[in-house]
Amino acid sequence: MPDRTESESRKLLGRLSAVMAATSVGQTRLDRIVRLIADSMGCEVCSIYLFRDAETLELCATVGLQPEAVHQTRMRLGEGLVGRTARDRTVINTANAPAERGFRYMPETGEERFSSFCGVPIQRLGEALGVLVVQSRSARIYTPDEVYALEVVAMVLAEMTELGAFNGAEGGLSPRHQRPITFRGMSGQEGAVAGRVFLHEPRVVVTNPISDDPDRESARLAAAIEALRAQVDELLAGTAPVDGEEVAVLEAYRMFANSRSWLRRMEDDIRSGLTAEAAVEKEQSHARARMGQASDAYLRERLHDLDDLSNRLLRILTGQGSDTGVAMPSDPVLVARNIGPGELLEYGKGTLKGIVLEEGSVGSHAAIVARAWAIPLVIRAEGVLTEALNGDLMLVDGEQGVAHLRPDDTVRKAFEDKIAMLARAQERYAGLRDLPAQALCGTVISLHMNAGLMADLPSLPSSGAEGVGLFRTELQFLVRNQMPKRAELSALYARVVDAAKGKRVAFRTLDIGSDKVLSYMKPQDEPNPAMGWRAIRLGLDKPGVLRMQIQALIRAASGRHLTVMFPFIANPGEFRLARAEFNKAMERERILGHPLPSEVEVGAMLETPSLAFASYAFFREVDFLSVGGNDLKQFFFAADRENEKVRRRYDMLESSFLELLSGIVGRCASAGTPLSFCGEDAGRPVEAVALAAMGFRTLSMRPASIGPVKSLIRRVNLQEARKVIDDARIRGDESVRPALTDWLARQP
Ligand code: PEP
Ligand code: MG
């Protein structure tokens, strides 16, 4: 870039900085800025358009157009040259605007007198906030240097808008992060709650976009780049040997960190008057805008790399780590792109009021934790990460899968009514707590709860559960940052058994792998972790941890009843090996003179279709079976439980799946093997009625589901329900859901 423009744009930014520093309200600031730009650029018109809502731009300040048009002239996204600039997030630079495709004549502005037009998007990190426009009477194309200077100014305006610098009383300006927005995602967990946004990974905030000391900024950038390169090298050094393609991808990442053109562009930005962090952000914004348009997958990936590197660089420059020291509000609604179960557990039960995820899936273990904590969860709330700011009011409607950010009074009022209604329903369920889940036909279903943390145990008496049908022991491993010791585990399991006060607790041995990754174990590089080295497979191949856990369980039971089940048993051989480990541990404890459990039950989780077809000998051999419907369903339908695109295509109530369940029920009945169902479906009232009607007598679910499930079971005759299901299956209905829900709706 020539020196002349360098100093021109620096001068312009210097003057802009003075305007921003002067204590004036939003509208006055905007008015001064457009005047200043028009002056510096020698053009007749300068205008700023900002978004009023996601689809509408409003003229918010102008010099050169009719002043009466300010806050009157509006256009839709994509409409006219201004709308097109905002929609495409690219510069439009033309000498003959009226002849341009899509030009819209707006008589109230008087702009027909101006021939040339240059519109530059005001955007922050790829998020469009508005458009900065200059126009001249003479037919001219603005030079690349002029356009560049406008882009730099637009970037600073974006930062200022973000920081609320234009919030003014008289302008009616409603900058992006103040508007109410509703996100329609999907329900991950029911419930309704009002709280304040707490970002899991806070955004880096650049508070100082302008600098008058380019040398200092350039040195800061150089130092930060050095630190970034060291980080990336470390990242690569820590990566296990990988195949050729992955090396190529990682090398591309490293290449970006060393990319001269990227550095040169940021250097240019600094020379034009931006601080180092503003320069990084300006280039990041460009990359994001291109990312949105790139159709080539490889290019998109590379732009993603650049985005990631820019974030790292910004954190280095601003010193804002992932922990920016933002205090957690008293009623936090966690907002994140996605979150693993370990990270979620670190927040601790009772801390979060709700969770809203940009991605996420219903079948993930993080969602299971949210369900165990009974906090509403909305997943796939697209755009929430760019819109939500720490401290914003958020209403989470887990029923509808909707989140209202900065809601207006009407929404707020309706939401309060909803919360009150749900509270009344809870009261009704509490009234059923001590009554059995006895259907009208007299059949009693035993309802148990799923747990995984000590903190879940208080729910045992309050929910009315008869025991813990699934204790997910891996959650204890996930909340730690090192492998727990045997003594620690045994003390913990003993406390669980104590807290259960004689009620049965089915401890499931460690089920790690898949999405449950222990930070202190070497990560596995597996193409299909859900079908990979997980659960009992890992336990049998590396028996040290399994043995330690079994010992801890035996010691914890110490003279009391002990129930243990092994996860993800795919064939009888695996169960036999695991049971042999259990027997060996019992023998060892006996020799050591430790008290043994009074009674033991050793069962298996049926989570792969293969086990449903195991020999009768196996069904007789196990002390009990528990169907892990989450995994069983994913493997039966070959549909990843964490992939929302495929997960929802299939339903537990499809006739084919019920056929599978009916086979399992039949085999257990002839072998006299107790059977339960502990997947998430057991906690959904309609599904629970179907399971009970199919012959399951024990269901295990999250504590909050016990009330609603019990309430429905008590209202129906399971024999009639079975007839409805069988009729639908005989008729050839693909799913029994329509027939069953129709019948349920007709019950008194
Ligand atoms: C299941 O798969 O249904 C189950 C209960 O286990 P998890 O959800 O922990 O995999
Ligand atoms: Mg499972």
Side-chain angles (χ1 to χ4, degrees):
M1 198 177 33
D3 279 354
R4 190 192 61 77
T5 318
E6 252 180 32
S7 55
E8 279 304 301
S9 91
R10 244 200 351 259
K11 248 191 273 162
L12 182 56
L13 283 187
R15 291 169 68 190
L16 194 62
S17 175
V19 170
M20 298 311 296
T23 44
S24 53
V25 281
Q27 187 64 46
T28 321
R29 270 188 178 155
L30 279 179
D31 293 343
R32 286 194 189 157
I33 289 170
V34 284
R35 215 167 304 131
L36 186 154
I37 297 172
D39 258 18
S40 309
M41 308 256 321
C43 47
E44 285 103 353
V45 178
C46 177
S47 315
I48 291 174
Y49 297 80
L50 293 172
F51 276 99
R52 285 304 305 228
D53 58 50
E55 291 291 319
T56 320
L57 285 150
E58 181 178 297
L59 176 65
C60 286
T62 187
V63 56
L65 300 184
Q66 303 295 347
E68 303 78 51
V70 172
H71 296 304
Q72 299 306 321
T73 291
R74 289 184 178 188
M75 65 217 44
R76 309 213 23 98
L77 188 65
E79 186 186 5
L81 299 187
V82 173
R84 248 176 69 199
T85 308
R87 185 197 59 200
D88 301 342
R89 298 193 203 159
T90 46
V91 174
I92 295 184
N93 184 4
T94 169
N96 187 1
E100 196 68 24
R101 179 171 57 89
F103 176 79
R104 201 196 108 190
Y105 171 57
M106 289 177 293
E108 73 275 21
T109 63
E111 78 171 337
E112 66 282 7
R113 294 172 282 137
F114 304 103
S115 174
S116 60
F117 172 102
C118 181
V120 174
I122 301 174
Q123 56 182 337
R124 185 175 183 274
L125 301 182
E127 173 197 343
L129 301 170
V131 180
L132 172 64
V133 176
V134 289
Q135 291 171 281
S136 311
R137 229 184 276 269
S138 60
R140 57 176 286 213
I141 288 277
Y142 294 88
T143 66
D145 296 336
E146 286 172 320
V147 173
Y148 180 82
L150 283 174
E151 280 181 319
V152 171
V153 171
M155 193 261 153
V156 172
L157 287 177
E159 287 303 327
M160 297 304 184
T161 309
E162 176 81 11
L163 292 171
F166 305 123
N167 306 355
E170 83 279 47
L173 285 181
S174 174
R176 195 169 183 101
H177 285 121
Q178 297 199 346
R179 290 195 307 263
I181 307 184
T182 295
F183 300 93
R184 296 187 193 283
M186 283 165 48
S187 167
Q189 159 65 21
E190 294 82 10
V193 76
R196 300 266 154 198
V197 168
F198 184 71
L199 296 171
H200 179 56
E201 280 207 320
R203 305 196 302 181
V204 176
V205 185
V206 176
T207 46
N208 56 337
I210 303 173
S211 161
D212 54 7
D213 188 349
D215 292 338
R216 191 192 61 206
E217 294 306 312
S218 180
R220 285 182 64 228
L221 180 68
I225 290 278
E226 268 317 299
L228 174 73
R229 284 179 184 156
Q231 267 186 16
V232 171
D233 286 345
E234 211 172 294
L235 200 78
L236 292 189
T239 312
V242 284
D243 64 37
E245 200 179 341
E246 272 187 78
V247 170
V249 168
L250 290 173
E251 284 303 333
Y253 193 73
R254 196 209 302 256
M255 202 180 71
F256 256 126
N258 293 294
S259 154
R260 277 169 192 274
S261 60
W262 184 41
L263 295 186
R264 204 181 45 244
R265 283 196 305 273
M266 291 193 287
E267 272 295 329
D268 286 349
D269 298 334
I270 287 176
R271 295 284 147 210
S272 68
L274 295 182
T275 57
E277 41 272 68
V280 175
E281 224 181 70
K282 179 169 177 290
E283 295 313 318
Q284 191 178 13
S285 278
H286 266 291
R288 284 215 180 156
R290 282 173 62 202
M291 204 145 67
Q293 285 156 5
S295 53
D296 177 70
Y298 181 79
L299 180 61
R300 261 205 319 270
E301 277 305 309
R302 300 287 70 78
L303 289 168
H304 259 299
D305 286 350
L306 189 60
D307 198 51
D308 190 46
L309 286 168
S310 305
N311 278 334
R312 284 171 187 270
L313 203 49
L314 279 175
R315 290 201 190 284
I316 295 170
L317 278 166
T318 58
Q320 296 170 20
S322 8
D323 177 9
T324 50
V326 174
M328 188 184 279
S330 58
D331 49 358
V333 170
L334 190 74
V335 174
R337 178 169 304 286
N338 213 343
I339 189 165
E343 289 171 297
L344 187 52
L345 285 165
E346 270 173 25
Y347 282 100
K349 184 175 178 169
T351 310
L352 303 174
K353 293 284 169 280
I355 307 176
V356 179
L357 300 180
E358 175 112 17
E359 295 171 1
S361 79
V362 179
S364 71
H365 283 92
I368 288 173
V369 173
R371 247 166 268 155
W373 287 349
I375 52 175
L377 163 68
V378 171
I379 57 166
R380 315 212 38 105
E382 230 173 277
V384 70
L385 267 191
T386 26
E387 298 292 353
L389 296 182
N390 269 323
D392 280 347
L393 179 64
M394 176 87 103
L395 310 179
V396 190
D397 183 341
E399 249 83 18
Q400 303 295 323
V402 167
H404 305 278
L405 182 67
R406 303 179 286 265
D408 59 27
D409 286 348
T410 333
V411 174
R412 214 181 300 191
K413 178 76 192 60
F415 203 75
E416 277 165 17
D417 294 347
K418 181 161 193 154
I419 291 179
M421 195 191 74
L422 289 176
R424 283 196 296 278
Q426 284 308 323
E427 263 171 44
R428 239 186 9 259
Y429 299 141
L432 299 177
R433 197 187 57 197
D434 299 322
L435 300 174
Q438 184 168 30
L440 297 179
C441 51
T443 308
V444 178
I445 305 299
S446 189
L447 302 184
H448 293 241
M449 65 173 244
N450 294 346
L453 298 169
M454 197 55 218
D456 296 331
L457 269 295
S459 303
L460 188 50
S462 61
S463 65
E466 289 175 44
V468 178
L470 166 66
F471 191 90
R472 290 183 165 100
T473 59
E474 59 277 5
L475 298 189
Q476 291 300 336
F477 286 71
L478 282 164
V479 284
R480 289 177 161 70
N481 45 23
Q482 60 183 31
M483 183 71 83
K485 305 256 180 316
R486 185 183 55 203
E488 251 180 279
L489 282 184
S490 132
L492 185 119
Y493 298 151
R495 280 199 287 139
V496 172
V497 179
D498 291 345
K501 295 201 171 71
K503 288 184 172 164
R504 181 178 182 267
V505 181
F507 288 99
R508 174 181 70 188
T509 61
L510 203 54
D511 178 7
I512 47 169
S514 192
D515 68 329
K516 289 180 274 194
V517 183
L518 301 185
S519 57
Y520 45 90
M521 270 181 73
K522 193 162 160 271
Q524 298 299 314
D525 183 26
E526 296 183 287
N528 269 315
M531 291 199 278
W533 200 49
R534 59 173 282 202
I536 199 65
R537 300 170 178 181
L538 206 146
L540 292 174
D541 290 354
K542 294 250 179 254
V545 182
L546 180 65
R547 283 179 193 149
M548 183 265 279
Q549 200 185 15
I550 293 175
Q551 263 178 8
L553 286 165
I554 296 173
R555 289 187 189 176
S558 174
R560 296 178 285 188
H561 189 108
L562 175 62
T563 308
V564 174
M565 58 185 182
F566 299 114
F568 214 63
I569 297 286
N571 65 25
E574 285 174 345
F575 177 72
R576 286 174 194 140
L577 286 172
R579 181 165 211 158
E581 287 295 346
F582 184 86
N583 292 345
K584 263 194 269 172
M586 286 283 278
E587 183 57 17
R588 210 175 304 117
E589 292 300 291
R590 195 186 59 75
I591 293 168
L592 289 172
H594 292 151
L596 297 179
S598 57
E599 263 172 286
V600 292
E601 283 178 277
V602 181
M605 285 191 70
L606 196 159
E607 306 189 85
T608 61
S610 60
L611 205 64
F613 302 98
S615 65
Y616 272 97
F618 167 74
F619 280 81
R620 279 193 296 273
E621 205 176 312
V622 282
D623 293 339
F624 67 93
L625 276 172
S626 187
V627 174
N630 306 334
D631 275 312
L632 185 62
K633 204 164 72 177
Q634 89 165 329
F635 296 114
F636 183 73
F637 289 112
D640 186 344
R641 64 193 261 185
E642 284 198 62
N643 181 340
E644 289 302 328
K645 280 211 186 72
V646 299
R647 202 190 65 79
R648 292 173 76 83
R649 297 170 86 97
Y650 311 100
D651 184 0
M652 192 216 96
L653 295 183
E654 286 190 31
S655 298
S656 59
F657 193 70
L658 295 183
E659 193 69 42
L660 177 74
L661 293 184
S662 140
I664 297 168
V665 171
R667 280 170 178 238
C668 283
S670 13
T673 307
L675 173 67
S676 61
F677 189 104
C678 64
E680 298 303 301
D681 284 324
R684 302 193 174 97
V686 176
E687 283 83 338
V689 163
L691 288 166
M694 295 298 294
F696 283 87
R697 292 293 168 260
T698 303
L699 303 177
S700 191
M701 61 199 73
R702 63 193 179 90
S705 290
I706 290 183
V709 165
K710 191 187 279 185
S711 162
L712 189 60
I713 287 181
R714 286 175 60 85
R715 284 175 40 217
V716 299
N717 179 322
L718 290 174
Q719 285 160 5
E720 285 176 26
R722 176 64 192 242
K723 176 145 182 6
V724 172
I725 291 173
D726 285 349
D727 286 349
R729 289 166 69 201
I730 292 164
R731 252 195 330 267
D733 293 3
E734 183 174 293
S735 165
V736 309
R737 186 176 293 280
L740 187 62
T741 46
D742 184 50
W743 175 77
L744 282 169
R746 284 185 277 112
Q747 300 311 294

